[in-house]
Amino acid sequence: MAFHKFFLIQFFAITIIICIIISQISFAQNNESIIDGFFSRGGHTNNWAVLVCTSRFWFNYRHIANTLSMYRTVKRLGIPDSNIILMLADDVACNPRNSFPATVFNNAGRYLDLYGDNVEVDYRGYEVTVENFIRVLTGRVAPDTPRSKRLLSDDRSNILVYMTGHGGNEFLKFQDAEEISSFDLADAFEQMWEKRRYHEVLFMIDTCQANTMYSQIYSPNILATGSSKLGENSYSHHMDTDIGVAVIDRFTYYNLEFLERVDMQSKATLQDLFNSYNPSFIHSTPGVRSDLFRRPLNKVLVTDFFGSVQNVELTGQQYNISNSDIGHEINISDIKMTEYHSKESPRESEKSTSKNFHLFNVNSKQSSSLPQFLIASILFGILIKLVSSII
Amino acid sequence: MTIQSHITGGLIFGAAFTARLILFHFSNITETLGSRIEIVTPVTSFTRLTEGLYLFENGVPPYDGGAFHQAPLLLACFQLLGYLPVIFTKLTFILTDLILAYYLTDITRMKQQLYCHFPRLKVELKTKEIDPWIVAGLYLFNPFTIASCLSKSTIIFTNLSIILGTYYSLKNNKSYGMFWIAMASYLSFYPFMLVLPTILMLINDAESKGKNIKSEIFSCAGLYAGWLSGLLLLSYFLVGSWDFLEATYGVILLLPDLTPNVGLFWYFFIEMFDQFRSFFLVVFQIHAFIFMVPVSIKLRNHPLFSMFLLSGIMAIFKSYPSIGDASLYLAFFPIYSEIIKYMRYNFLTTNIFCYCSILSPIFYHLWIYAGSGNANFFYAITLVYTIGNIILLVDATYAMFRREFDIWNPDLRNYEIIQK
């Protein structure tokens, strides 16, 4: 009888140990679910920009300047050249009529040269055609197309498509010889949707009667904005007397005025951007088409389309990354947050943490389970002995 | 057991212990032998064990690296040994060998006791049966055993578990016997085929004691399943997840690692097209296990011999064999020393073993280091080694049956048996 009692006691002991070990395992799982949550927020993981200037000739200087200004903005806000398709139908910087050769300005004050060292034009001159534009969008490019001329977006890419040039009622003129219609554009976007080549698209167009160009779009998750409605012209902002032509369009100018106040940490929303449009300043009625767009505009950050901002969140607790830190938890708030941007404290905090850097959940649960394992194995051995004597 | 045999035993064990200890102190013996592919395999290598242990101690899941394919209990064992000075690891391997040899003597004694009531041949009445200590000595001084021990290949723990399982089964201790066979099949997968002979050993006395055979078999099988699941559960608690199953048994069964060894699998699967791979894997693995039932049925009155035969089959047809596996079945072989006189190909098999032991390192060197040979050289020698093993097993089986026939049918002793 005492025999079986001992057996029962030992059975309970084993069950208790099993419960302890399982609870430790589940605690580790909890941490992981918090970390997973960081990565599944938002919706897009990468940003692309397709910036198209469709008109050539010297007197369309302002269209080149528009496009280059948007190029500079998206680069400043973080989108790299590999993710930007820049299409310029003419090269005004090296035009013999340019009094300031190798420069492009968007302001009469000539404060900022848009055509500096860091400009990568992907489609230039006569390569900017309707066919190439649609091929870029849909991804149906020739097999020998280099990577820099491909839109390699996926289903988690947010794309900014900016077009400027001369347009009309449901058309946009390319290179003075052909035009793209709003139906072509809508079908191109639908092909992109079917191939899951975008997560969300912001289509911005600055031409005469621009709002008609996005009227035929029917694919989901596309937000469109244009400079003027049907029957209205879009006007240039001002002229530089030394260059001799207009240097910027009004719609783009006021967009840039808003965007120059935006940086990568900005929480400005697209609703703020659209609210800043003032038709009396722009001299035309800008329009916004958001019926196909899922999210409310006051929740969409400007940097979701114009920039490429990666999600970084600071945890409240220091993360154990090696065995030497067992039971040694320092709160991040102990390290002063304001000093974090200075040069000293990152080095100090690096010295306090260990040199081993592991990329995954490495807590000390592995080695601390050894004593429990030993107890479990000793009890297992006793169990074997007992069974051998019973049977 | 006379004093003289005790002295013999003491001498043998002492000599084996000192020999191994001295050889361990040659500074590079473990690395040199541990890198020889005939001696260590991806599932028994000591270097991979140290790799897995390092990962385990630093909190990284040890099976994530793809290098470590051994059972988690070995991790625990060697983690504990890691806290002691280095000499204790070497002592563990030496002592495992010695314990194995000691239990081998006990097995020999028990077998001689079991068979003492059987009829004998006239020639055998004049000579004594083999001294158990000699059996142990033959195991301990087998070059394969010494090489396997010095390379710290972990196959030695499997061999020890098999010997202990056999010992306890011969002693009719169900729980311990099944536990050690469960431990052996937990460490490498193939000793599962030794469950049948073990159960046969355990039920051998059952008829005479009047117990119900069916209930005995069920209790043995239940014990085996219970101990095996207990061991797996214990491993789960050690490493914290079930991915060790894929990394250990998955590797043994599905052969993702095609490092050359003395087996048959690697050459075949290197040149296999992917669409046929699963078919041939199934064929090869079934081929290894298919001998379990027929051998056990035919040799149901001699379960120890079927243990020997199945260990031999395991040593040849498992997915990652090494000479350590061969040392196990060669350990069982002298126990049945009375059948040697019936064996026809002794000279051939001895020569094959010597020939292969010398040529296989040479051809491996030619293939890998000198670059003047290719894999076929080495694989050919591997095949010859396999043939040597098979000839030995087949010859031993023939000798066993012939002797059995002869002792039970004395009038037909010199007649040749042919099949009509």
Side-chain angles (χ1 to χ4, degrees), chain B residues 113-147:
Chain B
Q113 232 178 343
L114 281 171
Y115 280 65
C116 67
H117 300 298
F118 284 27
R120 299 233 191 120
L121 299 172
K122 256 197 290 197
V123 286
E124 288 170 4
L125 289 171
K126 294 175 198 157
T127 56
K128 266 202 313 186
E129 287 186 337
I130 193 164
D131 192 354
W133 299 111
I134 302 292
V135 175
L138 283 171
Y139 169 74
L140 284 172
F141 289 103
N142 189 351
F144 288 173
T145 323
I146 298 181

Side-chain angles (χ1 to χ4, degrees), chain A residues 279-382:
Chain A
S280 56
F281 289 166
I282 299 178
H283 293 179
S284 56
T285 319
V288 173
R289 183 176 174 192
S290 55
D291 59 321
L292 297 165
F293 196 69
R294 239 177 347 117
R295 297 193 279 158
L297 293 178
N298 53 2
K299 294 276 175 12
V300 181
L301 297 179
V302 168
T303 49
D304 278 354
F305 288 102
F306 287 92
S308 182
V309 176
Q310 305 300 325
N311 265 332
V312 174
E313 300 233 10
L314 295 174
T315 64
Q317 271 184 331
Q318 186 178 19
Y319 207 52
N320 275 344
I321 57 175
S322 90
N323 289 339
S324 56
D325 291 339
I326 297 170
H328 180 61
E329 285 174 347
I330 309 171
N331 261 331
I332 282 287
S333 53
D334 291 346
I335 306 168
K336 290 176 195 140
M337 290 293 284
T338 50
E339 289 179 69
Y340 190 73
H341 296 290
S342 74
K343 290 201 179 156
E344 279 110 7
S345 32
R347 266 188 253 132
E348 277 176 11
S349 57
E350 270 171 34
K351 279 179 202 161
S352 63
T353 56
S354 76
K355 297 282 178 188
N356 299 332
F357 181 61
H358 300 287
L359 290 172
F360 41 78
N361 187 6
V362 179
N363 53 10
S364 47
K365 135 180 105 71
Q366 301 282 354
S367 54
S368 68
S369 71
L370 186 65
Q372 292 155 337
F373 168 76
L374 283 174
I375 297 169
S377 46
I378 290 169
L379 288 170
F380 190 61
I382 297 173

Side-chain angles (χ1 to χ4, degrees), chain B residues 20 38-39 97 100-101 104 135-149 153-160 162-163 262 308 311-312 314-316 321-335 353 385 389 392:
Chain B
R20 282 166 170 78
E38 298 95 347
I39 309 179
D97 247 355
L100 215 163
L104 213 52
V135 175
L138 283 171
Y139 169 74
L140 284 172
F141 289 103
N142 189 351
F144 288 173
T145 323
I146 298 181
S148 195
C149 175
S153 162
T154 56
I155 199 70
I156 204 169
F157 298 111
T158 313
N159 290 351
L160 178 65
I162 294 174
I163 294 283
V262 289
F308 156 71
S311 304
M314 214 166 69
I316 302 167
S322 62
I323 60 177
D325 301 289
S327 76
L328 174 71
Y329 89 89
L330 290 173
F332 279 120
F333 182 49
I335 300 179
F353 275 116
Y385 168 78
N389 279 316
L392 181 66

